[in-house]
């Protein structure tokens, strides 16, 4: 249920980051009144980039299937050189030779994976592989926009205000993503030749039942947590010994 995963991911991010913001306000470590305002259109633009990334990425991973897991992992690393290029061109950031050498190595790995990577046997799977690669562009753009918002020119903020900035960005982008995900889900279903409303309803229903363990799937909650929270433990492998 990839479309349901996008929604539950945004909901978890809002909940955790919102709780963090409340704690920082109540503790006085980083109250809201001391932070520079950010226009809502910035958060909306950032959320739109994340929605576009997640739509392409989750749909592509689902389309490629589990047999192409290693190929998927390599292609996802393309966000590194793309982020460097966008950051250097739009923000005027300068990077050392080692950065560009590492970016070139990642690019070579992505190119090799596209040529020799996984058991891609159909033109449809090749299309999903390219869709996954394209998803790295909005991901990189979101990284650069986040950098511009959270780390403006000037002295670096202290740890607690910086944490509040990150939590605030996470909260607003997740909140805007909740309504933006729905038209995105409908569009993806239509492109797949499915009745949009019925397809999205079935996806959401299947995801909710799986998360509530009403069906035979296992590890759904751990998978959602690993997707939504950086550093969370990965879900157990279904092949692991019990």
């Amino acid at each position: 249920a990839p479309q349901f995963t996008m929604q539950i991911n945004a909901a978890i991010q809002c909940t955790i980051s919102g709780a963090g913001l409340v704690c920082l306000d109540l503790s006085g470590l980083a109250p809201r009144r001391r932070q520079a305002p950010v226009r809502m259109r910035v958060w909306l633009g950032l959320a739109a980039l994340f929605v576009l990334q997640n739509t392409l990425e989750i749909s592509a991973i689902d389309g490629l299937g589990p047999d192409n897991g290693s190929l998927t992992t390599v292609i996802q690393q393309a966000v590194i050189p793309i982020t460097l290029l966008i950051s250097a061109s739009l923000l005027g950031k300068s990077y050392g030779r080692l950065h560009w050498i590492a970016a070139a190595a990642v690019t070579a790995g992505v190119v090799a994976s596209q040529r020799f990577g996984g058991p891609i046997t159909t033109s449809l799977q090749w299309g999903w592989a390219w869709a996954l690669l394209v998803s790295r562009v909005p991901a990189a753009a979101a990284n650069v926009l986040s950098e511009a918002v959270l780390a403006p020119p000037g002295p670096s903020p202290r740890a607690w205000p910086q944490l509040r900035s990150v939590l605030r960005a996470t909260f607003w982008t997740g909140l805007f993503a909740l309504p933006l995900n729905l038209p995105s889900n409908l569009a993806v279903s239509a492109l797949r030749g499915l009745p949009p409303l019925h397809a999205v309803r079935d996806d959401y229903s299947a995801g909710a039942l799986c998360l509530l363990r009403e069906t035979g799937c296992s590890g759904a909650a751990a998978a959602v947590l690993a997707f939504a929270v950086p550093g969370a433990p990965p879900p157990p492998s279904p092949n692991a010994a019990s």
Side-chain angles (χ1 to χ4, degrees):
Q3 297 170 349
F4 176 79
T5 300
M6 292 174 61
Q7 290 290 53
I8 199 69
N9 175 37
I12 291 175
Q13 288 182 346
C14 283
T15 303
I16 294 177
S17 58
L21 289 172
V22 171
C23 290
L24 290 176
D25 275 338
L26 294 178
S27 66
L29 292 172
R32 180 174 55 184
R33 64 180 181 275
R34 296 181 185 175
Q35 200 158 41
V38 176
R39 294 183 177 182
M40 285 297 163
R41 66 185 183 186
V42 174
W43 301 133
L44 181 61
L46 195 57
L49 288 172
F50 281 128
V51 167
L52 179 58
Q53 172 213 330
N54 285 334
T55 299
L56 291 170
E57 183 176 5
I58 296 177
S59 299
I61 291 173
D62 186 54
L64 285 170
D67 291 339
N68 289 290
S70 58
L71 174 65
T72 296
T73 301
V74 175
I75 294 178
Q76 286 174 320
Q77 304 312 308
V79 71
I80 297 173
I82 296 174
T83 299
L84 286 181
L85 289 172
I86 296 178
S87 178
S89 59
L90 296 184
L91 297 183
K93 296 282 186 177
S94 59
Y95 296 96
R97 183 179 302 175
L98 288 178
H99 289 96
W100 293 110
I101 292 175
V106 171
T107 303
V110 171
V111 172
S113 70
Q114 290 282 66
R115 179 65 181 87
F116 308 107
I120 296 181
T121 56
T122 66
S123 58
L124 180 61
Q125 285 186 313
W126 275 112
W128 285 123
W130 282 107
L132 181 60
L133 184 60
V134 170
S135 76
R136 304 299 82 200
V137 176
N143 289 340
V144 174
L145 180 57
S146 299
E147 180 183 4
V149 173
L150 300 179
S156 299
R158 295 181 178 179
W160 291 115
Q162 181 67 10
L163 175 60
R164 181 182 176 82
S165 295
V166 173
L167 291 175
R168 182 172 62 162
T170 304
F171 175 80
W172 285 111
T173 53
L175 189 65
F176 280 123
L178 286 169
L180 290 175
N181 280 334
L182 184 56
S184 172
N185 296 158
L186 293 171
V188 169
S189 299
L191 289 174
R192 287 179 169 178
L194 302 172
L197 290 175
H198 291 288
V200 172
R201 182 196 61 191
D202 292 344
D203 184 282
Y204 283 23
S205 298
L209 290 174
C210 184
L211 190 62
L212 295 173
R213 298 183 180 181
E214 296 294 333
T215 56
C217 56
S218 60
V224 168
L225 186 64
F227 185 79
V229 183
S237 171
N239 297 323
S242 57

